[in-house]
Amino acid sequence: MIPFLREVATDLIARLGDDLKDAAIIFNNKRPEAFLKKHLGELQGNASFSPVFFTVSSFFAASANLVVADPLKQFFIMHLEFNKLLVAEGKPTLTPDQFFPMANIILSDFAEVDYDLVDAKSLFTQLEDIAQIQQQFSHFTEEQQAFLERFWSSFSADKQRSHQQKFLELWIRMPLLYHNFHQAMQAQGLITTAQTYRRLANGTADDPRFIAPYKKLIFIGFNALNKCEETLFKQWQSEGCALFYFDTDDYYLQDNLQEAGTFLRRNLNRSELINSFPQQQILADKRSIVDVIRTQGHTAQAKILTQKFDFEALADFENDPEKTAIILADESLLVPVMQTLPPEAGIVNITMGYPLTQSPLFGLTELWLNIQEQINKQEKHTVYYRDALAFLSHPLSGVKAAEREALQNKLLSQQWTEVPLTELHLISALAPNFFTSRHSGLQTIDALYLMLTAVLEQRQRQNQLNELEANLILEACKKLNLLHDNLDAYAPNLGLSLVFALIRKTLASLAVPLEGEPLRGIQVMGMLESRCLDFEHVIILGMNEGTMPKRSVNPSFIPDSLRRANGMPVLENQDAVSAYLFYRLLQRSEKVTLVYDGLGGDTEAAEPSRFIRQLAYESNLKFNYLQQEQPVRIESSNVIVIPKQGKVWKEIEGFFYNGNPFKTTNISATTLTTYLACTLQFFFRYVAKIKEPEEVAENLEASQIGSALHQALEWFYADLIKTDKVITAERIDQKLPEIMEYSRAALSQVLFRNRTQLRQANSMQQIVLQIVAEYMKEILAHDHLHSPFQIIELENKKDYKYHFPIEINGQKKYLQLYGILDRVDEKDGQTRIVDYKTGSDELKYSTLEKLFERDGKSQNKAVVQTLFYTYIYEQVRKTSHVEPNLYAVRKMKTEGTHFRSGKTVLQSVDLEDAKAAFTVHLQNTLAELFDQQIPFNQTTRLETCTYCPYKDICER
């Protein structure tokens, strides 16, 4: 393979000889410069003076004495001029934040107007009369006039739609805005890049003789030319001072249907530019194989690199930069590619910008902006707890582990959803600046600048700063400085919310070049960076329809019809550029691999680019279609079996009563139902004693609502029975107004472990308070209806413990059954155990056998728990005929409070039979639990795992 640039170098040396040192060589971009220098050096063989190299924009900029304004400065000047027009029209002005999206579009449109030498006044003229079009634009072709007529005819109706009216208002404003904007720029000694092109092409440049130092202007690798470039190139060619090297192939140049040759045909035929190279036929003669690989997902395209290519072999050619290139048609694949390339790939040179948005630094700046917005909102003195935790755990925060853990523990103990700023006085170098409120836009930018420099210094001290991170920080600081200077000059009193928005928009597009060794190793680049370059092996990722070529164009206020009428770029131009970049990459390559995403996404179809289909149909290339073989491993389920021996059995022995009730592990109703649901979950919780992680209750759990209701009802009845244990309807009525007070105190007790802390409830807590109060009303309404009754005991007044006999390995042991009863009362001589439930508990059950069935679908925790409490109470009190009642608050009004099995209601004789059967099942279940031959294992009912806190351990 002889690369295009080597052919250019050979011709330049032969054509210009020693005069080459006095030439200016101009490319579209900087990337080819190093490659051409390499070839010139190898061919000349001895030391010589180098020609001067330019990009086309820097070359044209040399003709202007004015300074090219940065985009932010252009935006602020445009904003001022736009608002002046609105004031003149008697309309309200726009804030910078409101104008920012519109400004970007207008600036882009004005640049295109200049690049293509369009008369702005004529373009932005409102035309509704077809005769007026024909008269004013008589120099247009019939096709161009038809485009104009087609567009403006839609505005001829007497009553225009609102969006059309808004468009016309903006459109009418454009000619004056264009004029005023450029005039304001020049008044400040500024100019846009597009204006330097226009003034040079119009002959009004500040220094039209800027090309005088060069004997030849050499333009290499150009394809799509704007009108300014076309005009200047023709002029300089006619003056005999310009040479052009177009990289062409007859395959697409001589075929008018081939969109890849659209602009080259225009350059050579319409513009009559002369190619210094003879025409070539390369693609038509190629018979090589092209691999087309379909992958299973977007990032899987990067993974294909390690599956299909021998990087150790490729690394052997690291001194040949034209050996292998990875071309990203979809540049969002940059980070996956960087993460995928293995160390054995050797030197990798990436010629692309790394976006700030992909770095931890962006997360830190976004977090800082969020926190600043919070603490500046109505002079708030708290920070949302998730943001505080995010700062504590961020890798760039520099918070010491001990300090982080102390604050996290305090967050949990205080259950702060809003953390007071006074609690965030951390030793970390970033913390003071992070949580200090800023009161002006300029202060905010200064503070963010200081925070970023603090990150830089901190990473340096820790010896963790890498070049990419340093470049991102420095570039972000540079952008912030520009924003600060522009705000200071044009909008010093801008509100904080607008400054936050501008900071975000300024940093969102920031990217820094990943500059490696340009002439060594595997080359990674985007399609545009590949111009003029050739490689033996080309791997193109992102070859999906919709990505190559792109479906969309940049937003514009200039409609398609008017673009066509004025010869401005349209969607087909974009397709033609993409086609040329693709075809020329294939011209000299010896091996080509094209990769596309077979699943597709929001912006791309799940099919290969039409360019692939075109080549497969038209060319002599042989296409080999491959499917990515994703390694699919069907792993056996993670079976966990815990034998009851060794340390496990030693822990289990803690359940056996040893004469000290406080040193014996209790078996509660919850312990029992946990074992029935999953013996492994029982092991994790009660044997291994793995605690569930504590969290701040941002959205209060159902269990907390239940706990608050239990506490409120206990206090409600505890106050009543201080004077009389008999509860009557009248006594309940007297205390009903205090329901909200009890609810508030109970919720405060649940959340903060005291009755008074919940003074100012947040919105979520207010909702929970209302729920608890409504549930209280439901229960009290039921009690009111069934009064009078007598309270015997209330929750927390007595813990019931019963020593249950069981035989273990031939020895008699005792288990300590334990229960806290919500309420024990007496109604019409019947003692009742009352259990409050706020969930979806059922009063119905099938049979007692199924209640104790391991992994069974018919388990009912409420029945088991309430019968368990009843059993303990009867054994401890040495009584009988106690009746269990379930106050399921959601159903008690319609279903009552008694359990039912089929048509049998658990009362009287049926209840006593059920109790006896329950005792047998309890005995058998506990015997199984403490049988050393039966290990702990996982449930087979996967529904049980859904909310299990230990499911990640099981990997289910």
Side-chain angles (χ1 to χ4, degrees), residues 496-682:
L496 278 174
S497 61
L498 302 183
V499 173
F500 291 140
L502 287 174
I503 290 173
R504 284 192 171 95
K505 287 167 181 171
T506 299
L507 297 181
S509 59
L510 188 149
V512 296
L514 289 162
E515 296 177 350
E517 299 186 52
L519 297 178
R520 294 187 66 193
I522 297 169
Q523 307 290 310
V524 179
M525 61 188 69
M527 291 296 292
L528 286 174
E529 286 80 19
S530 72
R531 288 175 291 190
C532 298
L533 305 181
D534 297 291
F535 305 94
E536 288 183 24
H537 185 188
V538 174
I539 306 163
I540 307 181
L541 307 184
M543 282 300 298
N544 280 75
E545 184 64 28
T547 299
M548 189 65 184
K550 290 182 180 177
R551 287 176 179 164
S552 60
V553 294
N554 292 329
S556 171
F557 289 124
I558 305 173
D560 182 77
S561 296
L562 297 187
R563 287 178 165 275
R564 294 179 189 279
N566 288 276
M568 298 176 72
V570 291
L571 183 60
E572 294 92 308
N573 297 146
Q574 183 173 281
D575 290 356
V577 169
S578 297
Y580 173 72
L581 294 172
F582 175 67
Y583 276 64
R584 72 153 303 279
L585 271 172
L586 273 57
Q587 281 173 211
R588 298 175 182 82
S589 60
E590 296 173 7
K591 183 179 180 182
V592 176
T593 304
L594 308 176
V595 184
Y596 73 99
D597 172 13
L599 298 182
D602 295 335
T603 59
E604 61 185 14
E607 59 185 62
S609 165
R610 66 174 181 268
F611 295 158
I612 298 176
R613 299 188 187 279
Q614 286 173 203
L615 276 173
Y617 178 74
E618 301 166 350
S619 73
N620 293 315
L621 295 167
K622 293 186 169 88
F623 284 79
N624 184 24
Y625 294 94
L626 304 170
Q627 175 85 25
Q628 182 187 32
E629 298 297 333
Q630 288 277 39
V632 177
R633 290 178 296 176
I634 303 176
E635 297 181 358
S636 58
S637 58
N638 186 25
V639 178
I640 301 176
V641 177
I642 308 293
K644 296 172 184 174
Q645 53 188 255
K647 291 182 179 179
V648 173
W649 183 251
K650 189 170 182 61
E651 286 294 327
I652 291 174
E653 287 179 331
F655 286 93
F656 302 148
Y657 181 63
N658 56 15
N660 186 342
F662 301 105
K663 292 187 177 180
T664 302
T665 305
N666 297 318
I667 292 180
S668 67
T670 304
T671 309
L672 179 62
T673 54
T674 300
Y675 179 80
L676 290 172
C678 176
T679 66
L680 187 63
Q681 186 182 138
F682 173 91

Side-chain angles (χ1 to χ4, degrees), residues 722-792:
K722 285 176 181 177
T723 54
D724 190 347
K725 289 194 173 185
V726 177
I727 307 300
T728 64
E730 292 76 19
R731 297 186 70 202
I732 291 174
D733 286 337
Q734 288 172 1
K735 288 191 75 66
L736 282 178
E738 301 175 38
I739 283 179
M740 185 55 72
E741 182 182 332
Y742 281 110
S743 298
R744 183 181 295 276
L747 185 59
S748 181
Q749 182 69 33
V750 169
L751 293 179
F752 308 113
R753 300 180 180 88
N754 70 69
R755 296 182 62 162
T756 59
Q757 187 162 334
L758 190 66
R759 296 185 183 91
Q760 293 293 325
N762 61 34
S763 56
M764 180 56 66
Q765 291 163 349
Q766 288 284 2
I767 293 171
V768 173
L769 277 175
Q770 291 298 326
I771 293 172
V772 172
E774 288 301 316
Y775 283 177
M776 274 192 77
K777 288 176 185 176
E778 285 292 323
I779 290 173
L780 293 174
H782 178 86
D783 285 348
H784 186 282
L785 186 65
H786 294 84
S787 61
F789 56 88
Q790 181 177 340
I791 298 287
I792 298 174

Side-chain angles (χ1 to χ4, degrees), residues 119-183:
D119 183 347
K121 187 175 181 180
S122 297
L123 172 67
F124 297 118
T125 298
Q126 181 180 348
L127 303 171
E128 297 182 15
D129 190 326
I130 303 304
Q132 187 182 355
I133 292 173
Q134 294 172 346
Q135 178 183 6
Q136 187 166 343
F137 295 92
S138 57
H139 59 288
F140 276 16
T141 64
E142 289 184 9
E143 184 182 23
Q144 288 176 312
Q145 289 192 5
F147 285 134
L148 276 178
E149 291 174 16
R150 191 182 312 156
F151 176 73
W152 287 114
S153 61
S154 66
F155 289 81
S156 298
D158 291 337
K159 292 185 178 178
Q160 293 141 349
R161 296 185 183 130
S162 61
H163 66 274
Q164 288 180 323
Q165 185 60 41
K166 289 179 181 177
F167 174 80
L168 284 175
E169 289 175 2
L170 176 63
W171 193 257
I172 294 168
R173 207 175 286 138
M174 287 294 208
L176 195 54
L177 180 62
Y178 175 88
H179 175 268
N180 292 353
F181 168 69
H182 286 300
Q183 193 174 55

Side-chain angles (χ1 to χ4, degrees), residues 424-438:
L424 294 168
H425 291 160
L426 305 169
I427 299 173
S428 161
L430 302 187
N433 194 46
F434 222 88
F435 299 104
T436 302
S437 175
R438 308 296 166 180

Side-chain angles (χ1 to χ4, degrees), residues 316-367:
D316 293 339
F317 298 92
E318 67 176 29
N319 290 320
D320 183 359
E322 291 163 321
K323 188 71 179 176
T324 305
I326 300 170
I327 310 294
L328 305 184
D330 180 353
E331 296 192 3
S332 69
L333 287 167
L334 173 61
V335 174
V337 167
M338 291 175 65
Q339 294 170 340
T340 299
L341 287 173
E344 54 266 28
I347 295 173
V348 177
N349 180 52
I350 301 175
T351 315
M352 296 177 69
Y354 188 92
L356 175 69
T357 52
Q358 298 287 334
S359 72
L361 188 67
F362 182 76
L364 189 69
T365 56
E366 185 61 28
L367 179 62

